[in-house]
């Protein structure tokens, strides 16, 4: 019995863990999808952004360097702009080719093709790189697309996304706390009803489900009310059974008493041949009287 109780208690704790994990995993997955959609993908930079203000001037300088000095002048301009970073600066002509004849990164081709003609910057954030494209027309009337491509390193990613990581940590903490609360909100009432059921199994018919469960407005509250009704009904049945037994016992005692007196009188007047029969009758009467 003790082992069975321990097994039931372990299963109830497993229910809490299962509910917690289901809520937690679901919330984390949804949170990851939301965060991924915010951090990874293609988007248009608002015109009010700082990069949108500097892009036209930088693009015109790049086009002017190329048109005035050729590929060598643009290469020098790119080295100056690049500095010690791993950024790669592309100037793509109207034919879709880099002026330095370099292959355009495959992951940046979509934003090069979808770059806007209204002067808005299109950016793309991926798992391995980030890039930005800006379409413009130089002062000489030639169309170009400026592409800035930068591979992502883990250290630089952590440095540039520190606020996002802090946001993720806070989100995970909130999700964990909410999952714990929801798991307790669901599994807690079940534990209360389970404890009451154990008391009923031990013979305590005055126990009821915890009052706070009945105040809920869900299926668990209905379960608690049904449990209380069941225990009350069992108590009434047991009480009725006891009353019936007491009534039957009381009703049988008077006839049995008269029967005992009759047997005693009969024994005085009986012969030896009927003595054994009278003893059997007295024995049966005693058994019935003892059961009452």
């Amino acid at each position: 019995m003790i082992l069975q109780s321990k097994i039931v208690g372990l299963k109830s704790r497993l229910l809490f863990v299962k509910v917690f994990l289901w809520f937690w995993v679901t919330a984390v997955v949804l949170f990851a999808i939301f965060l991924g959609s915010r951090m990874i993908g293609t988007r248009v930079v608002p015109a009010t952004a700082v990069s949108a203000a500097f892009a036209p001037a930088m693009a015109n300088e790049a086009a002017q360097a190329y048109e005035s000095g050729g590929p060598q002048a643009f290469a020098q301009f790119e080295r100056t702009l690049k500095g010690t970073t791993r950024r790669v600066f592309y100037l793509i002509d109207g034919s879709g080719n880099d002026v330095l004849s370099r292959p355009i990164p495959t992951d940046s081709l979509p934003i090069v093709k979808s770059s806007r003609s209204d002067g808005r910057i299109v950016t793309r954030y991926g798992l391995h790189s980030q890039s930005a494209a800006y379409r413009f027309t130089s002062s000489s009337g030639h169309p170009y697309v400026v592409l800035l491509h930068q591979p992502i390193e883990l250290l630089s990613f952590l440095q540039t996304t520190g606020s996002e990581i802090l946001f993720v940590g806070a989100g995970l903490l909130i999700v964990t706390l909410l999952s714990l609360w929801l798991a307790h909100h669901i599994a807690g009432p079940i534990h209360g009803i389970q404890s009451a059921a154990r008391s009923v199994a031990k013979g305590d018919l005055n126990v009821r489900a915890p009052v706070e469960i009945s105040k809920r407005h869900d299926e668990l509250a209905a379960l608690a009310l049904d449990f209380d009704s069941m225990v009350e009904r069992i108590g009434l049945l047991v009480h009725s059974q006891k009353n019936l037994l007491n009534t039957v016992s009381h009703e049988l005692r008077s006839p049995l008493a008269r029967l005992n007196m009759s047997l005693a009188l009969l024994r005085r007047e009986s012969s030896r041949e009927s003595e054994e029969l009278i003893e059997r009758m007295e024995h049966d009467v005693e058994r019935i009287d003892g059961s009452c």
Side-chain angles (χ1 to χ4, degrees), residues 12 14 21 26 65 68 70 80 99 121 126-127 138 147 156 196 200-201 205 209 227 233-234 240 247 252 261-262 277:
S12 64
L14 288 177
L21 288 178
T26 302
S68 61
T80 304
V99 296
I121 301 174
L127 295 176
S138 67
L147 174 65
S156 61
V200 172
L205 297 179
F227 176 82
R233 180 61 178 167
I234 292 175
S240 299
T247 302
L252 286 177
M261 292 179 62
S262 300
L277 179 60

Side-chain angles (χ1 to χ4, degrees), residues 11-292:
K11 289 183 177 179
S12 64
R13 286 192 291 270
L14 288 177
L15 174 63
F16 175 85
V17 174
K18 288 179 181 179
V19 173
F20 167 74
L21 288 178
W22 273 112
F23 277 117
W24 191 84
V25 170
T26 302
V28 168
V29 169
L30 293 177
F31 186 74
I33 293 174
F34 169 76
L35 188 64
S37 65
R38 299 289 296 177
M39 297 180 62
I40 299 176
T42 302
R43 61 180 64 92
V44 178
V45 177
T48 56
V50 176
S51 57
F54 284 97
M58 183 183 65
N60 287 325
E61 289 181 12
Q64 184 178 1
Y66 172 70
E67 292 178 353
S68 61
Q72 294 80 6
F74 173 74
Q76 179 62 35
F77 173 81
E78 186 207 7
R79 285 193 295 270
T80 304
L81 185 67
K82 179 179 179 180
T84 58
T85 65
R86 296 184 61 189
R87 299 172 184 170
V88 182
F89 193 73
Y90 297 87
L91 182 63
I92 303 171
D93 58 22
S95 301
N97 300 316
D98 176 50
V99 296
L100 297 181
S101 301
R102 296 170 297 182
I104 300 173
T106 305
D107 55 356
S108 297
L109 283 176
I111 65 170
V112 172
K113 295 178 180 179
S114 62
S115 55
R116 302 164 63 101
S117 58
D118 58 356
R120 303 284 293 276
I121 301 174
V122 180
T123 60
R124 179 189 179 278
Y125 296 89
L127 295 176
H128 305 289
S129 65
Q130 59 184 13
S131 52
Y134 173 72
R135 184 180 295 274
F136 70 103
T137 301
S138 67
S139 57
S140 62
H142 294 90
Y144 294 99
V145 174
V146 169
L147 174 65
L148 183 63
H149 182 270
Q150 180 177 1
I152 294 179
E153 297 178 351
L154 180 60
L155 181 60
S156 61
F157 176 78
L158 294 177
Q159 291 175 348
T160 56
T161 58
S163 59
E164 287 84 355
I165 294 175
L166 182 62
F167 175 73
V168 170
L172 288 177
L173 178 61
I174 294 174
V175 166
T176 302
L177 294 177
L178 285 177
S179 299
L180 285 172
W181 179 80
L182 286 172
H184 177 73
H185 186 68
I186 294 175
I190 297 177
H191 295 165
I193 297 175
Q194 183 184 48
S195 177
R198 290 175 182 172
S199 299
V200 172
K202 294 177 181 178
D204 185 5
L205 297 179
N206 294 320
V207 70
R208 295 293 183 270
V211 179
E212 58 271 15
I213 302 178
S214 303
K215 294 180 180 179
R216 297 164 58 112
H217 300 284
D218 54 15
E219 289 79 0
L220 291 175
L223 176 62
L225 292 175
D226 291 341
F227 176 82
D228 291 344
S229 299
M230 179 191 69
V231 176
E232 184 176 0
R233 180 61 178 167
I234 292 175
L236 291 175
L237 291 175
V238 172
H239 183 69
S240 299
Q241 184 183 28
K242 289 181 178 179
N243 288 338
L244 177 61
L245 290 176
N246 291 333
T247 302
V248 171
S249 176
H250 181 269
E251 293 295 330
L252 286 177
R253 287 188 183 279
S254 295
L256 288 174
R258 291 193 295 269
L259 186 58
N260 280 326
M261 292 179 62
S262 300
L263 289 174
L265 294 174
L266 184 61
R267 179 184 290 276
R268 293 178 183 178
E269 300 176 359
S270 63
S271 60
R272 291 184 177 181
E273 290 78 7
S274 59
E275 186 73 23
E276 183 178 355
L277 179 60
I278 294 174
E279 288 181 356
R280 290 180 182 177
M281 293 176 65
E282 288 179 343
H283 179 68
D284 291 338
V285 171
E286 288 177 358
R287 288 180 58 190
I288 296 174
D289 191 23
S291 62
C292 294

